Amino acid sequence: MVKRATKPAIGTMLANLRQGNAHMVVERVEGERPGDWYIQVLLRENNPYQLEYRDGMAEQHFQTMTVSQEKVLTALLGWAAAKPGWQDAFMWNNIGEQFSSSDHGANRAVVPLRDKCVVVGARGSTKAASASG
């Protein structure tokens, strides 16, 4: 876990993802707001990145695919900084119907931080797992 979602921390973890089931999650701590607020990326076989984000509830869960690590990094950083239009570089599909409302909080470690964002998971690389900042 990385306590501060900084550009170097996010960039290192993304660069260290490996094909298969390697993924990382950046979560926004929204205080008392209900729901889950996160963006996640999975490096799939044959190198495409599967990028997803959730804006609170399962009905607001979106997904896209890209082969550009640079575009993924830009999206992760834009989301973490809450920059307007961070998602405009992609065509997003709403996949909220694949989730039930009972998945709220499943397998998520929420750490209240002043920085508002935290990388809560990265799997598939010993370097990514040991990155801390």
Side-chain angles (χ1 to χ4, degrees):
M1 180 182 333
V2 175
K3 294 184 179 184
R4 288 191 193 115
T6 64
K7 182 176 182 177
I10 291 174
T12 297
M13 293 179 89
L14 178 63
N16 288 321
L17 288 181
R18 299 294 174 245
Q19 292 177 346
N21 65 354
H23 70 280
M24 64 181 281
V25 179
V26 180
E27 186 168 35
R28 183 174 293 132
V29 178
E30 292 288 335
E32 298 300 316
R33 289 176 67 180
D36 293 323
W37 306 84
Y38 61 87
I39 188 167
Q40 61 188 8
V41 62
L42 168 71
L43 179 57
R44 300 182 63 90
E45 295 296 327
N46 300 320
N47 295 323
Y49 291 92
Q50 179 177 317
L51 186 61
E52 299 180 9
Y53 74 95
R54 182 175 290 196
D55 277 344
M57 300 299 152
E59 297 80 20
Q60 295 298 309
H61 192 115
F62 299 89
Q63 180 185 80
T64 193
M65 301 283 274
T66 184
V67 295
S68 173
Q69 186 182 72
E70 183 178 330
K71 286 176 70 173
V72 171
L73 179 59
T74 299
L76 291 169
L77 296 172
W79 182 90
K83 289 186 179 178
W86 66 266
Q87 70 272 51
D88 292 348
F90 300 100
M91 298 277 301
W92 295 92
N93 298 307
N94 186 328
I95 60 168
E97 71 279 353
Q98 296 179 17
F99 304 95
S100 69
S101 60
S102 65
D103 77 342
H104 170 72
N107 299 317
R108 295 260 177 256
V110 178
V111 180
L113 297 173
R114 290 184 192 157
D115 293 55
K116 299 250 184 205
C117 289
V118 58
V119 178
V120 295
R123 293 192 174 89
S125 165
T126 55
K127 276 189 170 179
S130 66
S132 62

